[in-house]
Amino acid sequence: MTDGDYITNVDLMVRQPTRSPEAIPGFIVHVQAVSSGPRGQPGLEIQTNRWNNNCLATHGSILAADIASFWTAFAAAVVIRHVFGGQFLLVDYLRFVPLLPGFAVVYLAVGLYPGVGIHPVRELRGIFYANSVVYLMMMAGTFLSKTGILFSRLAFTGAWALSILLVILFRNLVRSGLARKKWWGIPVVLFGAGREGRRVVDLLAAQPSLGLKVAVVLDDDPGSLALAPLMADQYGLSYAIVAMPGAAPERLREILRRYAHRFRHFLLIPNVADLGILWVSTRDLGGVPGLEMSQNLLHAGPRMAKRAADLVFSLIAAVLLTPVLLALAVLVRMSSHGPAFYSQPRIGRDRRVFHAWKFRTMTPDAELVLERYFERNPAARAEWRMNRKLRDDPRVTPLGRFLRQFSLDELPQLWNVFRGQMSLAGPRPIAADELVRYGDGIELYTKVLPGITGLWQVSGRNDTTYDERVRLDEYYVRNWSIWMDLWILGRTMRCLITRRGAY
């Protein structure tokens, strides 16, 4: 950084202070404005308890959402089971109500609290495991009890499944409703004010639902870093991120030795951060730390599990959606001249070419219409070359535009999934002339099946650049798990409802 170059969208920027922190009035508090002068000191406003209050409010809101989810799920499952099943002895189940808050202990054990800074895929996995443990323990207790009361297994199973859905829903509602409130979130001390530090600030600001808000940025110099103990001990900041991937190993070891023990959460961003590693585990090689990355989709077992899930869910979806598929086929034929379906050659696993099926959304003379449009609009040709998408595509019919907005045109690809040419979730299907756009990443892409939906579709769809799509496809292959697929499918439904990035 150069003089006068400050990160301005955080609470406090500390760089080469000329005085000790005790000599600066109102130091280490919530900042309303940051000086941009070459050597100016930040303008500060004293709010001594703000950060601790933020932590309590954030933890409390997540815990309240979880308690409401468990009680709602349990009550709803019991009532529905007995209303439709005959006998309704609610009093027999009331004895379990005091036990429900015990889930918090299990949640704490699996790392679901404080409930911030968790990747949604990891959170989904943790919620599934934790809720399963809680309800298995409750069911075991009922069968070991000697009360002689027969509890419904169906009610417990329904409560377990509903609790998973409601915990995810309620947590997301709390985060979406409170994430941008100034009082919500956990303050973070960021070590490093360089390019990587800026990137961390921007990433956390763009994802407020993570709950991590950069409050203090310490530059990499002895004067700034010496303030870290004050942040932790006097002002109670417990979360720190070290964003200095270019620092020498000796420098990082010194920072860890001096400051890591002062923060309950100390996150170090490694040099391999750009690889986008989600399922990474640490290994100790005789005192030397290492990171182990397992490429799940390259193992036979996970591939078989993914294929089995694709078969089951595609068959169920095809049966349930048959009336919809028939109705849409008729509407496409009636709305414009041409067939109801069409196919395009796409590159699949091991570079095998297959034909991906869709409902026809364009006019029969689409290529001629497109070329004439390019002649009148040179800027559109450049847009097409860059993203292979047009915001105002002249080839698309009115019905086709509706189908695309809700991705209904891709429903026939269930046939591709059934045949093993595609997956429900995976990288974006690409044409042969797009292979060059992937560069070295094409080796990862061709290791797996492309998907009907994927990270691109739930990360902005057409609002993303082509390079971002390539990066998202690589991230998916490196970090696949069944939990990621479930998360993508859930996010897909949300994107279809909001029509985010659709055109």
Side-chain angles (χ1 to χ4, degrees):
M1 294 181 64
T2 60
D3 285 342
D5 189 8
Y6 289 88
I7 298 176
T8 57
N9 57 337
V10 299
D11 284 343
L12 175 62
M13 173 64 194
V14 180
R15 184 178 187 274
Q16 297 178 345
T18 57
R19 295 177 290 171
S20 65
E22 293 80 3
I24 303 176
F27 204 74
I28 318 302
V29 289
H30 185 71
V31 178
Q32 301 300 327
V34 177
S35 171
S36 59
R39 296 185 182 276
Q41 292 293 338
L44 308 174
E45 176 183 334
I46 299 176
Q47 297 182 23
T48 54
N49 296 322
R50 181 185 183 94
W51 286 335
N52 287 334
N53 291 339
N54 284 10
C55 294
L56 291 175
T58 303
H59 300 340
S61 62
I62 295 294
L63 178 60
D66 293 341
I67 293 174
S69 304
F70 262 80
W71 285 356
T72 302
F74 188 79
V78 171
V79 171
I80 292 174
R81 167 67 180 90
H82 286 282
V83 166
F84 291 96
Q87 294 181 336
F88 178 43
L89 301 175
L90 181 59
V91 67
D92 292 338
Y93 292 92
L94 291 178
R95 67 186 65 199
F96 290 100
V97 171
L99 301 178
L100 290 178
F103 77 89
V105 178
V106 182
Y107 271 37
L108 185 62
V110 300
L112 290 173
Y113 289 130
V116 298
I118 308 176
H119 192 283
V121 177
R122 282 185 173 271
E123 185 175 58
L124 173 60
R125 183 185 67 170
I127 290 171
F128 179 88
Y129 287 153
N131 288 25
S132 299
V133 168
V134 170
Y135 274 94
L136 282 175
M137 293 174 62
M138 292 177 62
M139 292 179 68
T142 63
F143 295 118
L144 294 176
S145 65
K146 300 179 180 180
T147 59
I149 301 174
L150 181 62
F151 296 96
S152 170
R153 299 178 187 179
L154 183 60
F156 275 105
T157 304
W160 163 76
L162 188 57
S163 69
I164 295 174
L165 295 176
L166 289 184
V167 168
I168 296 171
L169 176 62
F170 283 22
R171 282 192 169 209
N172 285 334
L173 288 176
V174 166
R175 288 167 178 153
S176 61
L178 302 179
R180 297 194 180 277
K181 301 293 184 181
K182 290 184 178 181
W183 56 265
W184 196 88
I186 305 300
V188 173
V189 177
L190 179 62
F191 290 70
R195 183 176 62 180
E196 191 63 26
R198 291 176 176 276
R199 181 185 176 194
V200 171
V201 170
D202 293 338
L203 286 174
L204 294 182
Q207 303 178 69
S209 60
L210 281 177
L212 299 178
K213 296 184 177 181
V214 178
V216 181
V217 179
L218 301 179
D219 204 355
D220 185 14
D221 65 76
S224 289
L225 294 184
L227 298 174
L230 188 68
M231 308 291 182
D233 299 340
Q234 184 170 340
Y235 294 96
L237 274 69
S238 61
Y239 209 113
I241 298 177
V242 179
M244 302 177 183
E250 295 78 10
R251 181 60 172 154
L252 291 177
R253 281 196 294 269
E254 180 184 357
I255 291 174
L256 290 173
R257 184 173 61 253
R258 285 174 174 265
Y259 309 117
H261 64 281
R262 296 183 178 274
F263 298 89
R264 289 196 297 272
H265 304 276
F266 200 81
L267 176 63
L268 176 65
I269 298 179
N271 286 326
V272 294
D274 287 338
L275 294 180
I277 306 165
L278 179 58
W279 306 111
V280 62
S281 56
T282 58
R283 291 290 183 266
D284 189 330
L285 305 176
V288 178
L291 301 178
E292 180 178 349
M293 296 165 281
S294 179
Q295 310 293 328
N296 293 335
L297 273 180
L298 304 186
H299 296 288
R303 280 193 177 190
M304 293 175 61
K306 183 174 175 62
R307 177 59 184 151
D310 283 339
L311 278 174
V312 171
F313 287 112
S314 63
L315 284 174
I316 294 174
V319 171
L320 295 177
L321 295 174
T322 294
V324 176
L325 293 169
L326 293 175
L328 290 178
V330 172
L331 288 174
V332 172
R333 286 296 305 271
M334 294 176 60
S335 63
S336 62
H337 178 69
F341 303 93
Y342 84 104
S343 65
Q344 291 179 316
R346 290 292 184 261
I347 305 300
R349 187 167 62 195
D350 299 325
R351 299 189 183 232
R352 295 174 183 169
V353 178
F354 70 96
H355 283 79
W357 288 93
K358 290 186 176 185
F359 283 118
R360 181 177 58 82
T361 58
M362 297 183 181
T363 58
D365 55 345
E367 295 304 321
L368 179 60
V369 170
L370 183 63
E371 189 57 37
R372 290 175 176 173
Y373 182 72
F374 285 158
E375 291 175 0
R376 299 191 305 270
N377 300 274
R381 187 186 296 274
E383 179 186 355
W384 173 260
R385 288 175 176 172
M386 179 176 295
N387 297 322
R388 294 190 63 85
K389 292 281 184 180
L390 291 176
R391 186 167 295 275
D392 297 310
D393 197 323
R395 302 169 296 173
V396 180
T397 65
L399 177 61
R401 193 170 300 278
F402 170 81
L403 295 179
R404 288 188 173 196
Q405 285 181 337
F406 294 96
S407 294
L408 296 175
D409 59 316
E410 297 178 354
L411 287 178
Q413 290 175 7
L414 289 171
W415 173 246
N416 295 114
V417 175
F418 178 76
R419 295 189 62 188
Q421 299 168 328
M422 293 182 65
S423 178
L424 291 177
R428 201 174 45 87
I430 62 174
D433 60 349
E434 295 180 79
L435 290 173
V436 67
R437 303 286 292 270
Y438 276 70
D440 294 338
I442 196 60
E443 296 300 326
L444 274 178
Y445 176 90
T446 55
K447 293 289 186 182
V448 300
L449 294 174
I452 296 179
T453 186
L455 273 182
W456 167 60
Q457 288 88 334
V458 302
S459 302
R461 298 172 72 183
N462 295 304
D463 289 338
T464 58
T465 65
Y466 201 101
D467 289 340
E468 288 172 330
R469 299 178 202 173
V470 174
R471 179 181 58 82
L472 290 170
D473 285 345
E474 291 184 11
Y475 181 93
Y476 175 84
V477 179
R478 293 184 187 277
N479 297 282
W480 175 86
S481 70
I482 192 64
W483 309 107
M484 177 170 283
D485 277 0
L486 291 174
W487 177 75
I488 288 174
L489 293 173
R491 290 278 298 186
T492 298
M493 299 304 299
R494 176 181 174 182
C495 290
L496 294 180
I497 294 173
T498 61
R499 293 186 293 175
R500 180 190 174 196
Y503 55 82

